[in-house]
């Protein structure tokens, strides 16, 4: 009996705050297998919710072993795309010293004041507004002064993508996209760690920096596998578009966070940009990507939960709502905001949610109109004055939300709006990076199921 021929595949762990995903791609970047899971959060020593890093480790190890033992696939390479602003701290014995602190965990005001009094306003230089733990560099500063016994035992601090790589290789490394994503560690003008990092000796616990394309060979079951160093998910989501699109664009990558990314802006961020929550991400080559982020997905989940309770309908009722131009016309005629945001920053938000609708469909359209207003400001901030950009790509969770797409296309009538039916963005980017893949101009259309959208016509009668 002949031995079955196994298919060569690239394995990608795509770790989001909510969903943990595993993909296998063939050498032409076609998805051949996927697996999703969600993990229960735990709490840190202060009772703040956070990722269960041990449960994540176990899931990754189990999934990888199952594929290694498979009679169907041969893994030739593995890489990791994860959310950013999260650090894993290891001691000299390679043991974890702390929980994987949640980037939404508040930093004490006295620590922020101490930092600002010592170093002043560094935030235009580092391409990120002061954002607490979302500036992962501030997490290290906080540990140094609030948990000195822990800090002095840190051998290495690894961003989450690089820690997952370290699990497979045992080699501690840093890479550009994780360092450059709103960490307050990187001086974009000097193209080096900011001076405060050196003054606090924090550089001593940050591993050597390598290119995002770096990989390390390891043997598993007698087969050599290339292990990538990991990549920040928003930077990774850009890669297929940068390689597959010949024309300038803005990408709106949606999920728990909605991140608008403009990889064509060469203008340094201003204080006004920072006040509008505009930040720099980083390409794999170290160049900045002008970006604006919103907790749009988290806000959306909160609001539809409230709506389902208010109207006593199933939680997934929102999935069956289609765009209704008559409802839009009626709401637009005498429009006024109704919703109070929980996670979005909006100075004009209501003191409390005050619904004036007697049915779920009207209330849902009202919600989406208001969310689009916030999303639109984020996109316009990212675009800036760059009139050469005529295309907008939308991927991620909202790409298949008809109401979202219809409203956004209507409001951005001067742009060519395209959405993708693929949820592969950051995972596929991680695969392309590790193979240094070249894509032709037809790749996006073929593999991403790009859909063209045109503004709907208002009924004026």
């Amino acid at each position: 009996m002949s031995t079955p021929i196994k298919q060569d595949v690239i394995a990608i762990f795509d770790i989001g705050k909510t969903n943990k995903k595993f993909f296998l791609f063939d050498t032409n970047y076609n998805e051949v297998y996927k697996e999703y899971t969600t993990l229960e959060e735990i709490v840190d020593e202060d009772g703040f919710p956070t990722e269960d890093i041990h449960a994540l480790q176990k899931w990754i190890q189990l999934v990888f072993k199952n594929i290694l033992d498979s009679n169907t696939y041969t893994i030739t390479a593995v890489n990791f795309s994860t959310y950013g602003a999260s650090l894993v701290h290891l001691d000299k014995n390679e043991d974890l010293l702390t929980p994987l602190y949640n980037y939404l965990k508040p930093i004490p005001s006295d620590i922020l004041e101490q930092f600002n009094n010592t170093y002043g306003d560094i935030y235009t230089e580092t391409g990120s507004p002061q954002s607490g733990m979302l500036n992962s560099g501030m997490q290290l500063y906080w540990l140094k002064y609030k948990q000195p016994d822990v800090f002095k035992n840190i051998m290495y601090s690894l961003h989450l993508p690089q820690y997952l790589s370290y699990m497979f290789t045992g080699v501690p490394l840093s890479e550009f996209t994780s360092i450059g994503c709103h960490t307050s560690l990187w001086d974009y003008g000097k193209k080096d760690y900011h001076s405060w990092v050196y003054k606090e000796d924090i550089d001593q616990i940050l591993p050597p920096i390598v290119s995002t394309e770096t990989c390390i060979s390891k043997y598993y079951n007698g087969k050599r596998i290339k292990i990538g160093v990991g990549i920040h998910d928003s930077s990774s989501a850009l890669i297929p578009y940068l390689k597959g699109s010949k024309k300038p664009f803005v990408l709106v990558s949606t999920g728990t966070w909605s991140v608008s990314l403009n990889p064509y802006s060469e203008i340094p961020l201003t204080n006004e940009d920072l006040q509008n929550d505009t930040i720099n991400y980083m390409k794999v080559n170290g160049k900045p990507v002008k970006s604006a982020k919103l907790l749009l997905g988290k806000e959306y989940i909160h609001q539809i939960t409230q709506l389902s309770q208010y109207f006593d309908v199933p939680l997934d009722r929102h999935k069956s709502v289609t765009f209704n131009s008559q409802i839009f016309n009626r709401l637009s005629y005498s429009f006024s905001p109704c919703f109070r945001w929980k996670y979005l920053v909006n100075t004009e938000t209501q003191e409390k949610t005050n619904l004036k609708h007697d049915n779920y469909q009207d209330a849902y359209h009202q919600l989406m109109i208001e969310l689009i207003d916030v999303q639109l400001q984020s996109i316009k901030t990212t675009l800036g004055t760059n009139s050469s950009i005529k295309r907008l790509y939308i991927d991620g969770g909202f790409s298949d939300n008809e109401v979202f797409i219809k409203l956004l296309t209507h409001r951005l009538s001067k742009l060519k709006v395209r959405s993708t039916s693929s949820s592969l963005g950051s995972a596929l980017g991680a695969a392309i990076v590790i193979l240094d893949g070249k894509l032709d101009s037809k790749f996006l259309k073929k593999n991403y199921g790009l859909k063209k959208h045109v503004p709907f016509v208002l009924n004026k009668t």
Side-chain angles (χ1 to χ4, degrees):
M1 184 175 180
S2 61
T3 303
I5 298 175
K6 294 185 179 183
Q7 182 179 14
D8 287 347
V9 291
I10 311 148
I12 302 296
F13 288 95
D14 186 18
I15 308 301
K17 286 286 285 182
T18 305
N19 294 312
K20 322 302 173 187
K21 308 173 188 177
F22 175 74
F23 295 98
L24 295 178
F25 297 99
D26 66 19
T27 52
N28 293 316
Y29 305 114
N30 298 304
E31 176 195 320
V32 297
Y33 179 84
K34 66 181 177 182
E35 187 171 337
Y36 290 17
T37 193
T38 57
L39 301 173
E40 291 291 329
E41 287 188 318
I42 59 172
V43 296
D44 63 21
E45 67 272 11
D46 297 319
F48 200 87
T50 191
E51 182 89 66
D52 186 342
I53 186 66
H54 297 288
L56 179 61
Q57 287 175 323
K58 290 179 181 178
W59 178 75
I60 289 173
Q61 290 164 348
L62 177 62
V63 169
F64 189 70
K65 182 179 184 302
N66 287 342
I67 299 298
L68 280 179
D69 294 341
S70 164
N71 292 322
T72 307
Y73 306 109
T74 297
I75 297 176
T76 62
V78 60
N79 206 358
F80 315 88
S81 165
T82 87
Y83 59 88
S86 301
L87 290 166
V88 178
H89 310 290
L90 302 175
D91 65 14
K92 63 182 180 180
N93 298 317
E94 303 180 4
D95 293 327
L96 290 107
L97 280 165
T98 72
L100 182 66
Y101 289 115
N102 191 325
Y103 56 54
L104 298 178
K105 180 183 175 75
I107 289 181
S109 57
D110 62 316
I111 288 294
L112 297 176
E113 184 178 357
Q114 175 183 312
F115 183 90
N116 291 335
N117 288 340
T118 305
Y119 297 108
D121 184 357
I122 66 165
Y123 301 103
T124 55
E125 296 164 1
T126 59
S128 179
Q130 188 177 79
S131 306
M133 286 280 194
L134 271 169
N135 307 131
S136 55
M138 290 304 301
Q139 180 184 143
L140 294 169
Y141 188 83
W142 164 72
L143 280 173
K144 181 175 181 179
Y145 290 99
K146 286 296 186 180
Q147 299 189 47
D149 290 339
V150 171
F151 185 84
K152 71 182 181 182
N153 286 316
I154 296 177
M155 184 70 176
Y156 293 111
S157 288
L158 301 170
H159 280 99
L160 183 57
Q162 285 69 62
Y163 175 68
L164 300 189
S165 175
Y166 174 85
M167 283 173 50
F168 285 74
T169 67
V171 181
L173 296 169
S174 301
E175 71 70 54
F176 286 112
T177 68
S178 294
I179 294 169
C181 75
H182 52 78
T183 63
S184 292
L185 291 169
W186 194 255
D187 188 320
Y188 275 88
K190 295 180 179 178
K191 299 179 181 179
D192 190 5
Y193 285 124
H194 196 278
S195 59
W196 81 264
V197 177
Y198 292 106
K199 290 176 182 177
E200 294 289 344
D201 291 327
I202 283 175
D203 62 298
Q204 300 299 309
I205 59 174
L206 298 174
I209 302 173
V210 296
S211 164
T212 314
E213 291 95 341
T214 300
C215 59
I216 297 167
S217 291
K218 299 286 288 187
Y219 280 89
Y220 288 87
N221 293 350
K223 298 287 186 180
R224 187 174 70 90
I225 298 178
K226 294 198 300 183
I227 313 295
V229 297
I231 183 171
H232 180 258
D233 55 7
S234 293
S235 296
S236 187
L238 264 179
I239 292 171
Y241 296 92
L242 286 169
K243 288 183 173 287
S245 178
K246 294 181 178 180
K247 297 181 180 179
F249 63 87
V250 163
L251 171 65
V252 182
S253 182
T254 63
T256 301
W257 286 93
S258 175
V259 185
S260 303
L261 301 117
N262 176 2
Y264 303 96
S265 177
E266 302 289 340
I267 303 172
L269 298 185
T270 65
N271 282 320
E272 183 180 359
D273 287 329
L274 297 180
Q275 290 170 7
N276 290 325
D277 213 16
T278 307
I279 59 176
N280 277 338
Y281 284 93
M282 194 180 281
K283 297 180 189 177
V284 296
N285 61 8
K287 291 186 177 181
V289 177
K290 186 178 182 181
S291 311
K293 56 185 175 58
L294 298 166
L295 267 171
L296 197 76
K298 193 174 183 69
E299 185 68 57
Y300 178 79
I301 294 298
H302 170 73
Q303 297 295 348
I304 61 171
T305 302
Q306 299 298 306
L307 287 182
S308 71
Q309 295 171 357
Y310 184 86
F311 289 103
D312 192 24
V313 299
L315 182 58
D316 64 354
R317 173 70 175 83
H318 65 106
K319 295 181 180 179
S320 63
V321 179
T322 57
F323 178 73
N324 187 306
S325 60
Q326 292 181 334
I327 294 176
F328 175 80
N329 286 350
R330 178 160 34 83
L331 293 177
S332 300
Y333 183 73
S334 57
F335 184 81
S336 61
C338 292
F339 287 90
R340 179 181 184 273
W341 304 137
K342 182 175 182 180
Y343 299 105
L344 297 179
V345 177
N346 184 352
T347 57
E348 298 180 358
T349 190
Q350 304 294 296
E351 291 185 4
K352 63 178 181 179
T353 296
N354 183 24
L355 287 177
K356 303 173 183 178
H357 311 289
D358 58 9
N359 66 83
Y360 184 93
Q361 193 170 18
D362 281 18
Y364 183 81
H365 276 71
Q366 172 83 33
L367 169 64
M368 297 308 294
I369 292 169
E370 292 189 40
L371 284 177
I372 287 296
D373 283 341
V374 182
Q375 178 67 82
L376 193 65
Q377 291 306 310
S378 180
I379 292 170
K380 287 183 175 179
T381 298
T382 307
L383 276 168
T385 58
N386 193 336
S387 59
S388 67
I389 295 179
K390 304 295 183 184
R391 290 177 178 248
L392 181 86
Y393 293 120
I394 304 167
D395 75 7
F398 281 97
S399 62
D400 60 357
N401 185 313
E402 183 192 16
V403 182
F404 181 89
I405 296 293
K406 288 278 190 182
L407 292 173
L408 192 61
T409 304
H410 174 67
R411 297 293 300 275
L412 293 172
S413 58
K414 294 183 179 180
L415 294 179
K416 294 179 179 179
V417 177
R418 306 285 186 269
S419 67
T420 171
S421 59
S422 172
S423 60
L424 300 177
S426 54
L428 187 56
I432 293 168
V433 161
I434 197 169
L435 292 190
D436 191 25
K438 308 297 184 209
L439 307 181
D440 62 33
S441 59
K442 296 179 181 179
F443 179 85
L444 291 177
K445 184 176 181 180
K446 177 183 176 183
N447 292 61
Y448 267 39
L450 282 180
K451 298 178 182 177
K452 297 180 181 179
H453 301 283
V454 296
F456 57 84
V457 179
L458 287 173
N459 184 354
K460 297 182 179 180
T461 59

